[in-house]
Amino acid sequence: MELKVFDKELVPLGIVDEMASLLWTTKYFDVGTFSLLAPVTENNKGLLVEGNLVVKHQGERKDARTNDGGTWRRAAQITYVHVTKDENGLEQMEAQGHMLGKWLDKRLVCPQVVVTATNQDIINALVERNCGDEADERRRFPKFAMLPQEDVAGGLVEYASEAYAGLGLEVRARAQAGKLGYDILVNEREQKYGFYLYKGKDLTATNGVGNTPCVFSRDFDNVNEQEYTASIENCGNFVYVQGAADENGSQPTVGVDGAEAAGLELDEVFCDATDIARKYRSGDAEVAIPLDTYMAMLTTRGIAELERYGKVINFESVINTASNLKFKEDFDLGDRVTCKDKRWGIQIDARITEITESYQKGRETVEATFGDSLPTLADQIRKVR
C-alpha cells in the first residue's frame, strides 16, 4: 500500500515514506476521514502539509465502481498537522483530514432549489447548480465533472431547499432519504475531479436479482471480532410537521404516519419545518408556492424525519482479510449483505455504511459497520431542538 500526495491541481508531489499507522475511513451516507502517523523526515515534511491531497494506492485496485471505466479513487485533503517530539527524542507527524466530499460544505444553496423529482435528480441538481457547470463561474469547482450514474429507482418528492442552506447538509439529507452514497473522486492520470453518486448492490442471502450472496459469520471464519447493538430509545413512527406561517399567521401542519400504529406502539414526534419557505425567488420575481405543493413538501420532510427515528440495529465486525470474502472484490461500501451469528441467534440484512481500513507495522485490518450507527449527541440535540 502506498500513500501518494498531490497538490490541489492534482500535480503529483511524492509518496509518504515510513508510515507508522494509517486509518482510512470511508462512509456511505457521509464524509469519510483519515488519520496518519509518520516519522519526521525531509520527504514527509514537504508532503504532509495542510491543503495537500492524499490518495491511497493498492496496485491497480479502483476505489469505486464508476460507469465510465476510468480509474477513479477516493482522496482526502489534509486539514490538520501536528508534530511532536517525545522524551526519547522520537519525532512524529500526525496528519488528519476528510475525504473530498467535504468540499460540498464550501457552498451554500443559492438560489433556492424548488423541484419535484427523485432524490437522485435533486442531489445532481444541487451539485450542478452550486459547484458544477450550472453554477456561476466563480463558484465552480475547477477540473470538476459529474460522473456517469446508473438510474436509481425512486419515487418523486416535492423538495424546496432552505434559503442559503449548506450544500453538504442538503446532499447528505437527500442521500440518506434515497439510500444513496456519494463522494468526490480523483482521476490522477487525467487530473480531474468527479462527483460520484451511487447505490450499493443487494448481496443479501435472499436477494432476488442474481447477485452472489455475501454472508458474514464467525461460522464461515470471515470475521475475527463482532459487536451487536439494538436500540429503540429514540423511536418514532408518527411525526407532526409544522411549516412556516402564511400572511395571516396560520401555520399549516401535516401528520406523516410511518407504521399505522396505535396505543403503546404509537410513538409521536414533532418536526419544526418553518425553514421551508412559502415563497422563493425566480430571477427578480418572488414566487408563492401553492398550498397543496407546500403541504407535499412538508410531507417529504416528515418522511425523511421518520428515517431518523427508527429502531437502531448496529453490527460491527472486524473482517478476516484472508477469508473467502475480499473487500472491493466480493463486497464494497454501500452494499447490502447478511450478517449472522448462530450462537447469539441473530441474522440481519444490513447495508455496509462505514469501512475503516487500518495499516500498522505492515498489517492490514478491515472493520465494517453494518446498519446504522447509534445517534450522536449532536443528532439527539437536533431532534429535540
Side-chain angles (χ1 to χ4, degrees):
M1 191 276 295
E2 292 181 334
L3 204 61
K4 297 186 178 182
V5 181
F6 299 78
D7 65 15
K8 282 177 285 198
E9 297 298 314
L10 289 174
V11 174
L13 302 178
I15 300 175
V16 177
D17 54 24
E18 303 178 50
M19 286 184 295
S21 67
L22 171 67
L23 293 177
W24 189 266
T25 301
T26 50
K27 301 180 180 181
Y28 188 65
F29 296 128
D30 206 347
V31 175
T33 61
F34 91 102
S35 178
L36 169 69
L37 196 62
V40 178
T41 65
E42 289 301 316
N43 179 61
N44 287 348
K45 284 193 297 182
L47 296 177
L48 300 179
V49 177
E50 60 274 15
N52 282 349
L53 311 181
V54 294
V55 182
K56 182 170 62 66
H57 274 250
Q58 288 180 283
E60 290 301 312
R61 188 178 85 180
K62 298 179 183 179
D63 237 8
R65 299 166 177 161
T66 58
N67 293 335
D68 67 346
T71 301
W72 293 87
R73 291 186 169 90
R74 282 187 166 88
Q77 184 173 40
I78 300 171
T79 57
Y80 170 90
V81 177
H82 182 62
V83 183
T84 61
K85 180 179 180 180
D86 66 18
E87 59 185 10
N88 298 318
L90 177 64
E91 295 180 321
Q92 285 191 312
M93 302 184 69
E94 179 186 8
Q96 298 180 10
H98 295 88
M99 304 298 160
L100 301 190
K102 183 70 172 177
W103 284 356
L104 298 178
D105 288 339
K106 292 176 176 286
R107 294 289 181 269
L108 301 179
V109 178
C110 178
Q112 286 178 264
V113 174
V114 180
V115 66
T116 301
T118 65
N119 284 301
Q120 180 181 18
D121 289 340
I122 291 169
I123 292 172
N124 286 328
L126 286 167
V127 174
E128 287 184 308
R129 296 181 191 181
N130 291 282
C131 58
D133 288 343
E134 296 181 20
D136 293 339
E137 187 172 353
R138 182 182 180 187
R139 303 181 73 219
R140 295 174 191 168
F141 288 166
K143 301 184 176 184
F144 180 78
M146 307 291 288
L147 290 180
Q149 305 166 8
E150 293 181 358
D151 186 16
V152 179
L156 298 178
V157 296
E158 299 281 355
Y159 171 79
S161 64
E162 180 184 355
Y164 301 106
L167 175 61
L169 289 174
E170 291 297 294
V171 169
R172 182 173 64 184
R174 290 296 97 208
Q176 290 174 339
K179 302 293 187 285
L180 302 174
Y182 69 96
D183 208 341
I184 295 176
L185 308 180
V186 299
N187 187 316
E188 300 152 73
R189 179 176 298 176
E190 298 183 13
Q191 295 185 323
K192 291 182 179 179
Y193 298 101
F195 180 70
Y196 179 47
L197 185 65
Y198 67 106
K199 191 163 189 173
K201 295 182 178 180
D202 185 357
L203 306 179
T204 56
T206 57
N207 81 80
V209 292
N211 292 330
T212 301
C214 187
V215 181
F216 288 96
S217 171
R218 288 185 292 178
D219 297 326
F220 300 150
D221 294 325
N222 53 26
V223 294
N224 295 329
E225 302 174 23
Q226 60 188 20
E227 181 177 329
Y228 173 77
T229 304
S231 172
I232 58 171
E233 290 183 350
N234 293 292
C235 278
N237 51 34
F238 189 99
V239 59
Y240 296 95
V241 187
Q242 188 171 66
D246 61 16
E247 297 174 350
N248 299 319
S250 175
Q251 289 182 267
T253 302
V254 300
V256 179
D257 193 343
E260 297 184 357
L264 288 177
E265 302 305 315
L266 176 62
D267 293 303
E268 298 176 332
V269 294
F270 175 75
C271 174
D272 181 352
T274 53
D275 57 291
I276 302 179
R278 305 292 295 266
K279 301 178 181 179
Y280 67 96
R281 298 204 67 83
S282 179
D284 295 330
E286 188 174 64
V287 180
I289 299 173
L291 180 59
D292 57 344
T293 301
Y294 188 74
M295 299 296 278
M297 290 176 176
L298 296 183
T299 300
T300 296
R301 173 65 65 84
I303 293 170
E305 191 73 8
L306 283 179
E307 289 283 340
R308 304 175 183 274
Y309 286 96
K311 178 180 179 180
V312 174
I313 297 178
N314 187 241
F315 222 126
E316 293 186 9
S317 298
V318 177
I319 295 170
N320 180 2
T321 55
S323 71
N324 62 320
L325 297 175
K326 304 296 183 185
F327 180 43
K328 293 292 181 184
E329 296 179 16
D330 301 302
F331 67 95
D332 204 349
L333 180 70
D335 291 341
R336 282 180 52 81
V337 300
T338 297
C339 304
K340 64 185 299 184
D341 191 299
K342 288 184 178 179
R343 186 181 181 122
W344 295 350
I346 296 170
Q347 176 169 328
I348 62 170
D349 294 335
R351 191 178 303 280
I352 302 174
T353 56
E354 186 173 315
I355 293 278
T356 297
E357 300 168 77
S358 174
Y359 304 86
Q360 189 170 16
K361 297 180 180 179
R363 181 171 176 263
E364 176 187 0
T365 61
V366 177
E367 183 173 347
T369 298
F370 307 93
D372 302 308
S373 298
L374 289 170
T376 64
L377 178 60
D379 291 334
Q380 294 182 33
I381 290 174
R382 190 201 62 77
K383 286 180 181 178
V384 302
R385 185 172 57 193

